[in-house]
Amino acid sequence: MGAVQSSPLVLTTADACFIPAASALLPPRASSHVAKPRSNSSLSGRIRRVDEILEPPVSKFTSPVAQNPIFPRCLALKCVRSEMEAKNDETAEKPTLGFVEIDQGLIDQMVYDALVWSSLHGLVVGDRNVNRSGKVPGVGLTHAPFALLPISFPESQFREACELAPIFNELVDRVSLDGKFLQDSLSRTKKVDAFTSRLLDIHSKMMEINKKDEIRLGLHRSDYMLDEQTKLLLQIELNTISSSFSGLGCLVSELHRSLLSHYGETLGLDPRRIPTNAAVSHYAEALAKAWIEFNNLKATVLVVVQTEERNMYDQHWLSSVLRERHNVRSIRKTLAEIDAEGELQPDGTLLVGGVPVAVIYFRAGYTPNDYPSESEWRARLLMEESSAIKCPSISYHLAGTKKIQQELAKPNVLERFLENKEDIAKIRKCFAGLWSLEDPHIVGKAIESPELFVMKPQREGGGNNIYGDDVRETLLRLQREGSEENAAYILMQRIFPSISPTTLIRDGICYKDHAMSELGIYGAYLRNKENVIVNEQCGYLMRTKISSSNEGGVASGFAVLDSLYLT
């Protein structure tokens, strides 16, 4: 394979998907600095795919791979290679953008330049070691964790993910309007999950008073992994509340483009193969259009935030673009502050601190930790009762729960909400295996082969899922207790994406390890009565984590921000 050809690529902020097909593969990797991984025949002999243990057959699962150690302890800036586990020859020979073979001096220089760039351009988060970093802007800053170079990703699958975004936007809207479907689907979960129960209570009250949201706004993110064995793009989850990193994710794409503009010729990489990422601009534009539809020039956008938010700069990027490009003001309030300062006018207008609110943008309220007292629940109900545009509304929030995801994967359920057969087929193709714990057959198979499944509760924010032997132990405990707690979970096919050597940077320290990545596609949907004003994909988020880590949240400390190199 030769160097990447420099055929022209048209990359626009309007649509990152319309990119001419890549005409060359990635450049070859030198192997003189790395020992060839040994074959692991015993592993392949003992691993079975889920389609081999399930009857009747289901969608193919990929085989698990050997796990790697966690990040080493803090070291000097110079990159330290962790002890990598053996990979089979086929995986080792695949072209990657890992840094294991690149000259150490070059890595050190790129790391230094990347850290400087991050500091100058606002690719920052609050430092967990500084007490006030989550409350006072500008205090205790550190760079956001990131991968040194973008991850290679097939253009065809990237295009497929982008094309799915408007379909999922419409699906969420349709599901949100079917209150009976939401209540019925989550009825068993309500009995055992107090948090979901409180959300359903608010939703039920809105149904009782026949509350109609004529203007509906959704800022979503659908997350995928590319299955290594089947090459299928499979959905992990659909986020309908607090879809984060539209701001910092854009900056990582710019960081990588900057690095390749300086070092790309040496590395044999073309910076134009990193698609433009304008997620923060598209999100701000959707919020501004919603503000216009509300039609009150004195009104503001209310950003609902957590009491301590070290990821505040990602949020501030969005507010800054909203103000500077659209002249729309925003205010930041916690749920407790909204309860204390909020007031509902007779016409439904919500005032917070005496200021009318046009749009409520939730960057909190998705976890039970955000509701430590009744004050926060009063605030959530107050906002839902108001005429302000909620992003998301309570029905949009519930439409993004794991249980609804599992229900939509059942036969003939998508047809309840969508008419276009091609759209239905596209969505169904990206569904991984999803099951209720009411199915004794699938529960038995998960106990037998827990490594092929993930148990998911109705939670967002990372760090909540159950993997490996913990799946077996949890399922056995639920069987022994005979309670209805199983309704709080779903079972999902575990996806095994390709693994490649990657350089990761956190807290100014550089690590080399094998890693896997997860692609998120942002989507925006705005509707006023029957008029669809916005329905588009808005950019992407790439997150990379070492292969030994099950969870994948950046803010929760499991992953780093990344970008795409289309192949």
Side-chain angles (χ1 to χ4, degrees):
M1 294 179 286
V4 173
Q5 297 179 11
S6 57
S7 56
L9 298 179
V10 182
L11 302 174
T12 68
T13 56
D15 194 336
C17 286
F18 294 101
I19 302 170
S23 56
L25 296 175
L26 295 176
R29 306 300 310 273
S31 58
S32 57
H33 292 76
V34 120
K36 191 173 185 180
R38 61 187 182 274
S39 176
N40 193 340
S41 58
S42 61
L43 178 66
S44 61
R46 66 180 172 84
I47 293 298
R48 296 172 297 163
R49 298 198 309 271
V50 164
D51 59 323
E52 294 173 342
I53 68 170
L54 285 179
E55 296 178 2
V58 296
S59 300
K60 291 184 177 179
F61 285 26
T62 16
S63 301
V65 293
Q67 300 294 294
N68 291 325
I70 59 172
F71 283 132
R73 293 182 179 181
C74 292
L75 301 166
L77 175 63
K78 187 172 183 178
C79 291
V80 177
R81 180 184 171 197
S82 65
E83 186 67 28
M84 296 188 180
E85 301 220 13
K87 308 291 174 186
N88 59 47
D89 292 344
E90 179 183 359
T91 301
E93 291 171 1
K94 291 180 180 179
T96 69
L97 287 175
F99 267 82
V100 183
E101 307 90 345
I102 297 176
D103 178 75
Q104 184 64 55
L106 180 60
I107 295 177
D108 292 345
Q109 185 59 50
M110 285 192 294
V111 169
Y112 185 89
D113 288 352
L115 292 173
V116 170
W117 193 99
S118 300
S119 301
L120 294 178
H121 292 82
L123 182 54
V124 295
V125 294
D127 188 342
R128 294 178 182 274
N129 297 315
V130 179
N131 290 334
R132 296 195 300 153
S133 66
K135 292 186 176 181
V136 183
V139 173
L141 300 184
T142 184
H143 71 88
F146 61 88
L148 188 57
L149 275 188
I151 187 75
S152 59
F153 199 87
E155 181 192 347
S156 58
Q157 274 87 354
F158 177 61
R159 184 187 297 272
E160 177 186 342
C162 290
E163 291 173 350
L164 282 167
I167 307 174
F168 273 115
N169 290 340
E170 182 180 356
L171 178 62
V172 169
D173 188 63
R174 299 281 186 87
V175 171
S176 75
L177 295 174
D178 195 334
K180 187 177 186 302
F181 174 78
L182 291 172
Q183 289 283 337
D184 290 349
S185 298
L186 291 162
S187 59
R188 290 191 69 245
T189 305
K190 180 177 183 176
K191 297 177 181 178
V192 294
D193 186 325
F195 177 63
T196 303
S197 178
R198 294 298 297 264
L199 295 176
L200 284 167
D201 285 343
I202 295 175
H203 179 256
S204 180
K205 289 178 182 177
M206 297 305 102
M207 292 177 65
E208 289 173 6
I209 63 175
N210 198 28
K211 179 74 162 56
K212 302 290 185 182
D213 288 316
E214 294 182 340
I215 306 174
R216 303 190 294 277
L217 173 66
L219 297 180
H220 307 142
R221 195 188 70 231
S222 185
D223 295 334
Y224 306 90
M225 278 185 173
L226 186 59
D227 184 81
E228 170 64 15
Q229 182 177 356
T230 65
K231 306 305 179 186
L232 290 175
L233 187 75
L234 298 179
Q235 186 185 57
I236 300 169
E237 63 181 354
L238 177 62
N239 301 277
T240 60
I241 183 169
S242 188
S243 300
S244 59
F245 291 114
S246 63
L248 298 189
C250 293
L251 289 175
V252 174
S253 298
E254 292 302 315
L255 165 63
H256 287 162
R257 193 175 291 109
S258 174
L259 287 174
L260 291 194
S261 70
H262 289 89
Y263 299 101
E265 185 174 351
T266 301
L267 300 171
L269 299 174
D270 187 345
R272 293 173 296 174
R273 293 198 178 278
I274 300 175
T276 297
N277 192 358
V280 70
S281 298
H282 287 301
Y283 264 19
E285 183 178 9
L287 284 166
K289 288 182 176 179
W291 179 84
I292 291 171
E293 292 299 314
F294 190 78
N295 197 27
N296 183 344
L297 295 179
K298 296 180 180 180
T300 188
V301 172
L302 170 63
V303 184
V304 184
V305 299
Q306 295 176 330
T307 54
E308 291 192 14
E309 180 54 87
R310 292 183 172 85
N311 193 31
M312 71 170 74
Y313 304 100
D314 177 62
Q315 301 166 7
H316 281 301
W317 269 112
L318 182 56
S319 294
S320 177
V321 174
L322 187 63
R323 180 181 65 253
E324 294 176 5
R325 294 190 186 178
H326 304 282
N327 197 29
V328 176
R329 178 188 171 214
S330 64
I331 58 174
R332 295 168 60 84
K333 298 289 181 179
T334 65
L335 287 168
E337 288 171 336
I338 294 168
D339 178 51
E341 302 175 24
E343 180 183 353
L344 200 62
Q345 299 295 94
D347 65 352
T349 300
L350 174 66
L351 302 179
V352 175
V355 179
V357 175
V359 182
I360 303 168
Y361 173 50
F362 284 89
R363 289 300 294 262
Y366 55 84
T367 168
N369 296 334
D370 290 338
Y371 301 85
S373 71
E374 286 301 309
S375 174
E376 288 76 16
W377 285 113
R378 285 195 302 267
R380 184 66 187 268
L381 177 60
L382 179 72
M383 290 184 287
E384 202 63 37
E385 290 174 329
S386 77
S387 61
I389 302 166
K390 276 75 68 176
C391 181
S393 65
I394 193 68
S395 57
Y396 267 46
H397 187 170
L398 292 171
T401 57
K402 305 297 187 297
K403 182 61 181 175
I404 296 300
Q405 181 185 9
Q406 181 251 311
E407 288 291 319
L408 290 172
K410 289 182 177 179
N412 303 316
V413 176
L414 285 176
E415 286 79 358
R416 178 170 176 169
F417 304 103
L418 300 174
E419 296 83 27
N420 188 296
K421 292 183 179 180
E422 291 184 3
D423 289 348
I424 292 171
K426 288 178 181 179
I427 287 185
R428 189 160 281 139
K429 179 183 176 183
C430 80
F431 280 161
L434 292 157
W435 303 275
S436 164
L437 267 66
E438 297 174 68
D439 184 343
H441 177 73
I442 198 67
V443 169
K445 296 306 179 183
I447 292 173
E448 177 186 342
S449 301
E451 72 279 3
L452 301 180
F453 297 85
V454 181
M455 280 186 71
K456 291 189 172 185
Q458 314 303 312
R459 295 289 181 271
E460 304 295 337
N464 300 301
N465 298 333
I466 301 172
Y467 297 86
D469 289 339
D470 290 338
V471 171
R472 177 190 289 118
E473 293 175 6
T474 303
L475 290 173
L476 289 173
R477 177 182 62 80
L478 292 174
Q479 285 186 342
R480 287 195 305 270
E481 295 175 355
S483 69
E484 292 187 334
E485 187 188 343
N486 61 358
Y489 301 91
I490 66 165
L491 274 171
M492 182 175 178
Q493 163 191 350
R494 187 165 183 178
I495 304 167
F496 295 98
S498 60
I499 294 176
S500 58
T502 308
T503 299
L504 313 171
I505 304 172
R506 184 186 292 275
D507 296 327
I509 302 164
C510 176
Y511 309 92
K512 295 177 184 176
D513 210 324
H514 277 108
M516 61 180 68
S517 297
E518 177 179 322
L519 171 66
I521 298 294
Y522 294 106
Y525 187 89
L526 175 63
R527 185 184 191 116
N528 190 342
K529 298 180 181 178
E530 298 306 312
N531 181 27
V532 177
I533 300 165
V534 176
N535 184 14
E536 62 181 7
Q537 67 85 14
C538 298
Y540 70 90
L541 170 69
M542 205 69 186
R543 289 170 293 179
T544 291
K545 61 181 181 179
I546 58 173
S547 58
S548 60
S549 173
N550 289 321
E551 296 289 353
V554 176
S556 51
F558 298 103
V560 301
L561 296 170
D562 207 338
S563 72
L564 292 175
Y565 189 92
L566 297 180
T567 60

